[in-house]
Amino acid sequence: MWAPASRARTARPQVTEMSSADVVPLLRRAWAALQQGQPAPAKADCEAALQQAPQSFDAWRLYAMTLQALGDAAASRRALQRALALRPDDGATALDLGTMQLNAGEFDAALASLALAMQRLPHEPRAAFRYGTAAFNAGDYVQAASGFETAARLKPDWAEAWNNLAAAHGKQQDYVAAISAARNALQLNPDAGAHQALAALLSNLFDRTSLQEGLQHALRALQLDPSLAQAHRDAAILYRKLDDPTGAEAHARRALELAPRDIDIIDTLGEQLQLNRKPHEAVDVYARALHAGVDSPTLHRQHGIALLHDGRLDAARDELRDALRRAPDDQRTIAHLGVAVAQHDADRATQWLGLHRHVHAIELPTPDGFADAHAFNAALADDIRRHSQQRWEPAGLAARNAYLSGDLLMDRTPAIVGFEQRLREAIDAFIAQARDAHVAEAPLDDDALSADVFLRNVPERYRVHVWATQAAERGFIDTHIHEDSWLSGAYYVELPPAIRDDDNTHAGWIEFGRPFASLPQPPDAALRRVCPKVGTLLLFPSYLFHRTLPYAGAGERISISFDLAAI
């Protein structure tokens, strides 16, 4: 989707107040020259005025304008800083200074100046928009959304403000708010880019209605601009989720033809070729890109995964090790390197991944307001069954013959609120213990697979996403990892009688360590199966492949899952 523009012109207010009667004629003449496109004589008059009145706010303000017109951005910025020092609460000067800092890529400085501009000019949409742009470029998407939302409120017909608000919400994975903003942008400016931006956001959802709508917007974008590579990529992702692998591959190939150096597009085609059981072609796609100098940890990781799918174990292991050196916290790299290592040394892989060391079962205390654990879990199960975002087997996710909720915490029932409180307490305690246990690690090298790859990546700050699963007989969660997280977990709310800890078939248990069926399979020594217990919170590294095993018989398996990701 569109990204917020980082360049903007400064405000051009007229001189409104003179600090010394002696320099008034000079500044008026300078202003007139500047309006007539003659910045050189305007500069001379401003400098003469400053010689007579060096503390004149208006002289410094107008001098900054002339310097900017002459292309001397650094000197113009210094003049604005002098003006702002003389009048620290002047919003227009703060706006101009913040704009110049923004254009120069000085995002932290721009944020401070533009925050002042927003405060002093509460009805000026440009101040809010540029504040949002600076925050977006600084990676603070919460403040970016706040700025763009203010700009859109002040100027509701500003399509770019709505578009950028959608981008900021999208970065926070708040797709409901992002899609709403993108619809407003599209209504105001229904061009190819706006259709593509909405398609990209809708491609993150999992219900078929939204995915089909997203595909229509991607195809409409391509009608308007057939050369729009990102729209082809969106179409490929949407076709993939809608179970049309042929359409997905065709659009991914066309996207790569149009943008052969785009990393996301290269990856989209490589992924689709692997899904279409063409791993050798996927290897070639990544290898060609790397050979052409398109270098990134993602491409090295994906090249290694493709080699693993193609059965080239030694080459896969070497490439995945290299990818991990480049991105030591990449969960997908860790997961697949574990698969490669297990083919040669299952014990080493198990130790390195922490299959036993880092899978923890915690009894979650009963929240306040409930008589006992049984009453709490019964209320929680009822809330999950009637959750407002409950969906049957969402497209593109691992649930099979099962319901998934969206964001469980959207429904603020007493049981869900109580669960969230106890969950956050357990997470905070676990992270504190993990930090205490962490020992500084040396950079990964060929002999460093003994390094604790989980503890060395403990996040400083994090966000949590929580959802629920409801499955009956033959319902299960297929093999997957949580690649955008560091820690994952499952809390068991209700279990059927068929799930027993004395069952040697492990019906309904959770299994760790078994990768996708298309990958080389590990020996049993590299697997771990855990029998779930009602009231137990199971915590584990997000990079561990895991799945739930199906069961037969009456009753439902209701659980709550979460992902914890660094921010």
Side-chain angles (χ1 to χ4, degrees), residues 393-423:
E393 202 175 85
L397 294 180
R400 302 291 181 265
N401 296 310
Y403 288 97
L404 285 186
S405 75
D407 181 359
L408 180 73
L409 305 183
M410 289 289 292
D411 290 8
R412 306 303 288 170
T413 67
I416 291 175
V417 170
F419 170 77
E420 180 187 9
Q421 178 184 355
R422 292 295 186 243
L423 174 65

mmCIF file of all heavy atoms in Angstrom, residues 393-423:
data_model
loop_
_atom_site.group_PDB
_atom_site.id
_atom_site.type_symbol
_atom_site.label_atom_id
_atom_site.label_comp_id
_atom_site.label_asym_id
_atom_site.label_seq_id
_atom_site.Cartn_x
_atom_site.Cartn_y
_atom_site.Cartn_z
ATOM 1 N N GLU A 393 -13.288 -22.382 10.508
ATOM 2 C CA GLU A 393 -12.175 -22.740 9.641
ATOM 3 C C GLU A 393 -11.759 -21.576 8.739
ATOM 4 O O GLU A 393 -11.891 -21.645 7.509
ATOM 5 C CB GLU A 393 -12.533 -23.960 8.797
ATOM 6 C CG GLU A 393 -11.323 -24.719 8.280
ATOM 7 C CD GLU A 393 -11.697 -26.008 7.552
ATOM 8 O OE1 GLU A 393 -11.985 -25.937 6.344
ATOM 9 O OE2 GLU A 393 -11.707 -27.072 8.195
ATOM 10 N N PRO A 394 -11.236 -20.486 9.303
ATOM 11 C CA PRO A 394 -10.862 -19.336 8.475
ATOM 12 C C PRO A 394 -9.833 -19.700 7.413
ATOM 13 O O PRO A 394 -8.937 -20.517 7.651
ATOM 14 C CB PRO A 394 -10.272 -18.352 9.499
ATOM 15 C CG PRO A 394 -10.801 -18.800 10.812
ATOM 16 C CD PRO A 394 -10.951 -20.275 10.724
ATOM 17 N N ALA A 395 -9.976 -19.072 6.245
ATOM 18 C CA ALA A 395 -9.073 -19.364 5.129
ATOM 19 C C ALA A 395 -7.645 -18.950 5.472
ATOM 20 O O ALA A 395 -7.409 -17.895 6.047
ATOM 21 C CB ALA A 395 -9.543 -18.625 3.873
ATOM 22 N N GLY A 396 -6.690 -19.810 5.119
ATOM 23 C CA GLY A 396 -5.290 -19.476 5.282
ATOM 24 C C GLY A 396 -4.706 -19.739 6.653
ATOM 25 O O GLY A 396 -3.525 -19.473 6.876
ATOM 26 N N LEU A 397 -5.504 -20.252 7.592
ATOM 27 C CA LEU A 397 -4.997 -20.557 8.930
ATOM 28 C C LEU A 397 -4.952 -22.065 9.137
ATOM 29 O O LEU A 397 -5.388 -22.850 8.300
ATOM 30 C CB LEU A 397 -5.864 -19.885 9.997
ATOM 31 C CG LEU A 397 -5.807 -18.346 9.998
ATOM 32 C CD1 LEU A 397 -6.694 -17.781 11.087
ATOM 33 C CD2 LEU A 397 -4.383 -17.845 10.176
ATOM 34 N N ALA A 398 -4.424 -22.464 10.305
ATOM 35 C CA ALA A 398 -4.143 -23.883 10.528
ATOM 36 C C ALA A 398 -5.314 -24.660 11.102
ATOM 37 O O ALA A 398 -5.215 -25.879 11.273
ATOM 38 C CB ALA A 398 -2.938 -24.013 11.473
ATOM 39 N N ALA A 399 -6.428 -23.997 11.414
ATOM 40 C CA ALA A 399 -7.571 -24.692 12.010
ATOM 41 C C ALA A 399 -8.266 -25.578 10.982
ATOM 42 O O ALA A 399 -8.549 -25.144 9.857
ATOM 43 C CB ALA A 399 -8.563 -23.677 12.567
ATOM 44 N N ARG A 400 -8.552 -26.819 11.365
ATOM 45 C CA ARG A 400 -9.260 -27.760 10.506
ATOM 46 C C ARG A 400 -10.473 -28.284 11.269
ATOM 47 O O ARG A 400 -10.346 -28.774 12.393
ATOM 48 C CB ARG A 400 -8.347 -28.937 10.122
ATOM 49 C CG ARG A 400 -7.059 -28.517 9.417
ATOM 50 C CD ARG A 400 -7.311 -27.956 8.016
ATOM 51 N NE ARG A 400 -6.062 -27.585 7.363
ATOM 52 C CZ ARG A 400 -5.559 -26.354 7.370
ATOM 53 N NH1 ARG A 400 -6.200 -25.382 8.009
ATOM 54 N NH2 ARG A 400 -4.417 -26.091 6.755
ATOM 55 N N ASN A 401 -11.656 -28.136 10.646
ATOM 56 C CA ASN A 401 -12.903 -28.555 11.291
ATOM 57 C C ASN A 401 -13.030 -27.924 12.685
ATOM 58 O O ASN A 401 -13.363 -28.599 13.666
ATOM 59 C CB ASN A 401 -12.974 -30.086 11.404
ATOM 60 C CG ASN A 401 -13.017 -30.752 10.047
ATOM 61 O OD1 ASN A 401 -13.817 -30.392 9.179
ATOM 62 N ND2 ASN A 401 -12.122 -31.714 9.834
ATOM 63 N N ALA A 402 -12.761 -26.636 12.762
ATOM 64 C CA ALA A 402 -12.756 -25.963 14.055
ATOM 65 C C ALA A 402 -13.143 -24.498 13.883
ATOM 66 O O ALA A 402 -13.039 -23.931 12.798
ATOM 67 C CB ALA A 402 -11.372 -26.062 14.701
ATOM 68 N N TYR A 403 -13.574 -23.914 14.984
ATOM 69 C CA TYR A 403 -13.849 -22.479 15.041
ATOM 70 C C TYR A 403 -12.624 -21.761 15.601
ATOM 71 O O TYR A 403 -11.947 -22.257 16.501
ATOM 72 C CB TYR A 403 -15.027 -22.180 15.968
ATOM 73 C CG TYR A 403 -16.377 -22.585 15.449
ATOM 74 C CD1 TYR A 403 -16.957 -23.795 15.834
ATOM 75 C CD2 TYR A 403 -17.106 -21.745 14.604
ATOM 76 C CE1 TYR A 403 -18.219 -24.163 15.382
ATOM 77 C CE2 TYR A 403 -18.375 -22.105 14.143
ATOM 78 C CZ TYR A 403 -18.916 -23.314 14.532
ATOM 79 O OH TYR A 403 -20.170 -23.681 14.085
ATOM 80 N N LEU A 404 -12.378 -20.559 15.059
ATOM 81 C CA LEU A 404 -11.398 -19.652 15.647
ATOM 82 C C LEU A 404 -12.091 -18.327 15.914
ATOM 83 O O LEU A 404 -12.894 -17.859 15.091
ATOM 84 C CB LEU A 404 -10.220 -19.405 14.707
ATOM 85 C CG LEU A 404 -9.163 -20.489 14.526
ATOM 86 C CD1 LEU A 404 -8.034 -19.955 13.673
ATOM 87 C CD2 LEU A 404 -8.633 -20.965 15.854
ATOM 88 N N SER A 405 -11.782 -17.732 17.044
ATOM 89 C CA SER A 405 -12.242 -16.361 17.258
ATOM 90 C C SER A 405 -11.227 -15.428 16.621
ATOM 91 O O SER A 405 -10.094 -15.822 16.331
ATOM 92 C CB SER A 405 -12.357 -16.054 18.750
ATOM 93 O OG SER A 405 -11.083 -15.858 19.321
ATOM 94 N N GLY A 406 -11.639 -14.205 16.416
ATOM 95 C CA GLY A 406 -10.665 -13.184 16.080
ATOM 96 C C GLY A 406 -9.965 -12.787 17.374
ATOM 97 O O GLY A 406 -9.585 -13.641 18.183
ATOM 98 N N ASP A 407 -9.819 -11.507 17.603
ATOM 99 C CA ASP A 407 -9.211 -11.020 18.834
ATOM 100 C C ASP A 407 -10.140 -11.334 19.999
ATOM 101 O O ASP A 407 -11.197 -10.723 20.156
ATOM 102 C CB ASP A 407 -8.985 -9.510 18.719
ATOM 103 C CG ASP A 407 -8.320 -8.918 19.948
ATOM 104 O OD1 ASP A 407 -8.044 -9.666 20.910
ATOM 105 O OD2 ASP A 407 -8.074 -7.704 19.954
ATOM 106 N N LEU A 408 -9.749 -12.293 20.826
ATOM 107 C CA LEU A 408 -10.605 -12.705 21.945
ATOM 108 C C LEU A 408 -10.911 -11.537 22.867
ATOM 109 O O LEU A 408 -12.024 -11.437 23.415
ATOM 110 C CB LEU A 408 -9.916 -13.825 22.738
ATOM 111 C CG LEU A 408 -10.702 -14.354 23.941
ATOM 112 C CD1 LEU A 408 -11.874 -15.200 23.489
ATOM 113 C CD2 LEU A 408 -9.800 -15.140 24.883
ATOM 114 N N LEU A 409 -9.959 -10.627 23.041
ATOM 115 C CA LEU A 409 -10.105 -9.558 24.024
ATOM 116 C C LEU A 409 -11.061 -8.468 23.564
ATOM 117 O O LEU A 409 -11.339 -7.528 24.328
ATOM 118 C CB LEU A 409 -8.733 -8.960 24.341
ATOM 119 C CG LEU A 409 -7.669 -9.966 24.802
ATOM 120 C CD1 LEU A 409 -6.381 -9.248 25.151
ATOM 121 C CD2 LEU A 409 -8.163 -10.796 25.972
ATOM 122 N N MET A 410 -11.591 -8.579 22.342
ATOM 123 C CA MET A 410 -12.594 -7.615 21.884
ATOM 124 C C MET A 410 -13.874 -7.715 22.707
ATOM 125 O O MET A 410 -14.562 -6.714 22.921
ATOM 126 C CB MET A 410 -12.912 -7.858 20.405
ATOM 127 C CG MET A 410 -11.801 -7.464 19.462
ATOM 128 S SD MET A 410 -11.574 -5.678 19.345
ATOM 129 C CE MET A 410 -13.086 -5.199 18.507
ATOM 130 N N ASP A 411 -14.225 -8.897 23.169
ATOM 131 C CA ASP A 411 -15.418 -9.083 24.002
ATOM 132 C C ASP A 411 -15.001 -8.970 25.460
ATOM 133 O O ASP A 411 -14.277 -9.833 25.970
ATOM 134 C CB ASP A 411 -16.057 -10.453 23.738
ATOM 135 C CG ASP A 411 -16.710 -10.536 22.374
ATOM 136 O OD1 ASP A 411 -16.536 -9.601 21.565
ATOM 137 O OD2 ASP A 411 -17.380 -11.547 22.108
ATOM 138 N N ARG A 412 -15.453 -7.929 26.148
ATOM 139 C CA ARG A 412 -14.972 -7.638 27.502
ATOM 140 C C ARG A 412 -15.916 -8.215 28.556
ATOM 141 O O ARG A 412 -16.496 -7.501 29.384
ATOM 142 C CB ARG A 412 -14.800 -6.130 27.687
ATOM 143 C CG ARG A 412 -13.926 -5.456 26.646
ATOM 144 C CD ARG A 412 -12.540 -6.062 26.591
ATOM 145 N NE ARG A 412 -11.747 -5.703 27.766
ATOM 146 C CZ ARG A 412 -10.593 -6.247 28.056
ATOM 147 N NH1 ARG A 412 -10.071 -7.201 27.267
ATOM 148 N NH2 ARG A 412 -9.921 -5.860 29.131
ATOM 149 N N THR A 413 -16.068 -9.520 28.552
ATOM 150 C CA THR A 413 -16.870 -10.184 29.577
ATOM 151 C C THR A 413 -16.034 -10.341 30.846
ATOM 152 O O THR A 413 -14.793 -10.288 30.797
ATOM 153 C CB THR A 413 -17.320 -11.566 29.099
ATOM 154 O OG1 THR A 413 -16.152 -12.409 28.989
ATOM 155 C CG2 THR A 413 -18.004 -11.492 27.735
ATOM 156 N N PRO A 414 -16.668 -10.573 31.985
ATOM 157 C CA PRO A 414 -15.891 -10.768 33.226
ATOM 158 C C PRO A 414 -14.877 -11.904 33.119
ATOM 159 O O PRO A 414 -13.745 -11.780 33.614
ATOM 160 C CB PRO A 414 -16.970 -11.060 34.270
ATOM 161 C CG PRO A 414 -18.182 -10.353 33.763
ATOM 162 C CD PRO A 414 -18.120 -10.489 32.267
ATOM 163 N N ALA A 415 -15.260 -13.000 32.475
ATOM 164 C CA ALA A 415 -14.344 -14.133 32.372
ATOM 165 C C ALA A 415 -13.159 -13.805 31.465
ATOM 166 O O ALA A 415 -11.998 -14.130 31.775
ATOM 167 C CB ALA A 415 -15.073 -15.373 31.864
ATOM 168 N N ILE A 416 -13.421 -13.148 30.337
ATOM 169 C CA ILE A 416 -12.330 -12.809 29.416
ATOM 170 C C ILE A 416 -11.414 -11.756 30.029
ATOM 171 O O ILE A 416 -10.184 -11.852 29.935
ATOM 172 C CB ILE A 416 -12.903 -12.353 28.059
ATOM 173 C CG1 ILE A 416 -13.546 -13.542 27.340
ATOM 174 C CG2 ILE A 416 -11.821 -11.730 27.194
ATOM 175 C CD1 ILE A 416 -14.250 -13.193 26.047
ATOM 176 N N VAL A 417 -11.994 -10.760 30.687
ATOM 177 C CA VAL A 417 -11.171 -9.738 31.349
ATOM 178 C C VAL A 417 -10.326 -10.369 32.461
ATOM 179 O O VAL A 417 -9.140 -10.068 32.609
ATOM 180 C CB VAL A 417 -12.064 -8.610 31.904
ATOM 181 C CG1 VAL A 417 -11.251 -7.672 32.797
ATOM 182 C CG2 VAL A 417 -12.706 -7.827 30.765
ATOM 183 N N GLY A 418 -10.929 -11.272 33.226
ATOM 184 C CA GLY A 418 -10.187 -11.958 34.277
ATOM 185 C C GLY A 418 -9.073 -12.827 33.721
ATOM 186 O O GLY A 418 -7.960 -12.867 34.270
ATOM 187 N N PHE A 419 -9.364 -13.515 32.614
ATOM 188 C CA PHE A 419 -8.326 -14.326 31.979
ATOM 189 C C PHE A 419 -7.174 -13.448 31.506
ATOM 190 O O PHE A 419 -5.997 -13.787 31.710
ATOM 191 C CB PHE A 419 -8.897 -15.108 30.801
ATOM 192 C CG PHE A 419 -7.839 -15.761 29.964
ATOM 193 C CD1 PHE A 419 -7.221 -16.921 30.398
ATOM 194 C CD2 PHE A 419 -7.423 -15.199 28.765
ATOM 195 C CE1 PHE A 419 -6.212 -17.514 29.656
ATOM 196 C CE2 PHE A 419 -6.417 -15.782 28.013
ATOM 197 C CZ PHE A 419 -5.813 -16.949 28.462
ATOM 198 N N GLU A 420 -7.481 -12.324 30.852
ATOM 199 C CA GLU A 420 -6.422 -11.440 30.369
ATOM 200 C C GLU A 420 -5.522 -10.986 31.514
ATOM 201 O O GLU A 420 -4.290 -10.959 31.387
ATOM 202 C CB GLU A 420 -7.023 -10.220 29.667
ATOM 203 C CG GLU A 420 -5.959 -9.262 29.155
ATOM 204 C CD GLU A 420 -6.524 -7.968 28.610
ATOM 205 O OE1 GLU A 420 -7.733 -7.718 28.782
ATOM 206 O OE2 GLU A 420 -5.739 -7.181 28.040
ATOM 207 N N GLN A 421 -6.125 -10.641 32.641
ATOM 208 C CA GLN A 421 -5.328 -10.197 33.783
ATOM 209 C C GLN A 421 -4.374 -11.293 34.254
ATOM 210 O O GLN A 421 -3.180 -11.056 34.457
ATOM 211 C CB GLN A 421 -6.253 -9.785 34.927
ATOM 212 C CG GLN A 421 -5.507 -9.346 36.184
ATOM 213 C CD GLN A 421 -6.444 -9.034 37.333
ATOM 214 O OE1 GLN A 421 -7.666 -9.053 37.187
ATOM 215 N NE2 GLN A 421 -5.882 -8.750 38.497
ATOM 216 N N ARG A 422 -4.897 -12.510 34.419
ATOM 217 C CA ARG A 422 -4.051 -13.608 34.882
ATOM 218 C C ARG A 422 -2.994 -13.980 33.832
ATOM 219 O O ARG A 422 -1.856 -14.317 34.167
ATOM 220 C CB ARG A 422 -4.910 -14.825 35.215
ATOM 221 C CG ARG A 422 -5.810 -14.634 36.426
ATOM 222 C CD ARG A 422 -4.975 -14.463 37.681
ATOM 223 N NE ARG A 422 -5.796 -14.426 38.886
ATOM 224 C CZ ARG A 422 -5.887 -13.383 39.700
ATOM 225 N NH1 ARG A 422 -5.208 -12.274 39.419
ATOM 226 N NH2 ARG A 422 -6.635 -13.432 40.776
ATOM 227 N N LEU A 423 -3.354 -13.899 32.563
ATOM 228 C CA LEU A 423 -2.397 -14.194 31.495
ATOM 229 C C LEU A 423 -1.248 -13.200 31.524
ATOM 230 O O LEU A 423 -0.072 -13.583 31.461
ATOM 231 C CB LEU A 423 -3.089 -14.165 30.133
ATOM 232 C CG LEU A 423 -2.175 -14.316 28.907
ATOM 233 C CD1 LEU A 423 -1.529 -15.695 28.891
ATOM 234 C CD2 LEU A 423 -2.948 -14.062 27.611
#
